[in-house]
Amino acid sequence: KKNNYMSLLIIGGTGTLGRQIVRRAIDEGYSVKCLVRNLRKAYFLKEWGAELVYGDLSLPETIPLALKDSSAIIDASTARPSDPYNAETIDLQGKIALIEAAKTAGIERFIFFSVLNSSEYKEVPLVKLKSKIETYLKNSGLKYTIFNLSGFFQGLISQYAIPILEKQPIWITGESTAINYMDTHDIA
């Protein structure tokens, strides 16, 4: 392994983007740990070569131990509509706790994924939370990188096609807006 000197802790490793980041980091030779809520659901990450550590952003007391021996955090997590708590629990309070734990643990770099042009869409609740975390991270004193992403190709079917077929509501803008969808493989 060529990058053994840097140990990554990846949050959201079972998600659409996170799993691609885990795969790519392992392939590049990084030591990878994944903070996971459900060890059984995340077992495929262990099979790929990642170490699984229990942690839950909705339970801040589970975070500090997971940061041990990590030099960088890659946060690709976000609350899902199916989660049993509101998005603010994960995407604001949980991420603030994660940033504070990172400061205490001496994390060298914090990588966060936000939304392209988030300042223009603050009326959208999740975008508003991500924007608040961008500001919090910028003021944290940590070295950080923020990637502002547009939509994922991988989400088109589950976010639009299926809800439309099932006559469920979807979120769209009121204007005609070109969106450059991205492949999560490319982002990773």
Side-chain angles (χ1 to χ4, degrees), residues 11 63 83 97 107 122 126-127 138 144 161 179:
I11 300 36
I63 298 170
D83 285 340
I107 296 296
K122 287 186 179 174
L126 180 62
V127 176
K138 288 174 185 175
Y144 65 88
I179 296 175

Side-chain angles (χ1 to χ4, degrees), residues 90-187:
I90 296 294
D91 287 299
L92 185 63
Q93 296 155 357
K95 292 187 186 271
I96 287 172
L98 178 63
I99 292 166
E100 289 302 315
K103 287 165 48 177
T104 302
I107 296 296
E108 296 170 31
R109 171 77 50 185
F110 194 108
I111 298 171
F112 178 65
F113 294 92
S114 192
V115 177
L116 186 65
N117 301 323
S118 60
S119 61
E120 296 177 28
Y121 299 102
K122 287 186 179 174
E123 74 280 0
V124 179
L126 180 62
V127 176
K128 182 178 182 179
L129 297 175
K130 287 197 173 283
S131 184
K132 285 182 178 183
I133 291 302
E134 284 184 45
T135 301
Y136 195 89
L137 184 57
K138 288 174 185 175
N139 295 324
S140 71
L142 288 169
K143 290 182 181 173
Y144 65 88
T145 302
I146 298 172
F147 289 97
N148 296 100
L149 307 175
S150 58
F152 304 154
F153 283 120
Q154 286 82 351
L156 290 175
I157 292 174
S158 63
Q159 291 170 359
Y160 296 103
I162 292 172
I164 289 170
L165 290 172
E166 294 179 351
K167 296 180 177 27
Q168 299 293 317
I170 59 170
W171 183 84
I172 57 173
T173 62
E175 68 265 2
S176 176
T177 307
I179 296 175
N180 293 320
Y181 285 96
M182 304 171 79
D183 188 312
T184 56
H185 293 90
D186 294 336
I187 298 165

Side-chain angles (χ1 to χ4, degrees), residues 2 7 30 46 57 70 83 88 141 159:
K2 60 182 177 181
S7 175
Y30 288 95
K46 185 175 183 172
L57 293 181
S70 295
D83 285 340
E88 194 166 306
Q159 291 170 359

Side-chain angles (χ1 to χ4, degrees), residues 6-50:
M6 182 165 279
S7 175
L8 305 177
L9 175 66
I10 299 174
I11 300 36
T14 59
T16 305
L17 174 59
R19 68 183 54 212
Q20 302 305 330
I21 294 169
V22 171
R23 183 59 147 201
R24 181 68 183 257
I26 289 168
D27 289 350
E28 293 288 323
Y30 288 95
S31 171
V32 175
K33 288 194 303 186
C34 296
L35 181 83
V36 297
R37 290 181 289 184
N38 182 329
L39 295 167
R40 191 176 68 245
K41 181 180 169 191
Y43 190 77
F44 70 96
L45 299 171
K46 185 175 183 172
E47 290 177 332
W48 290 354

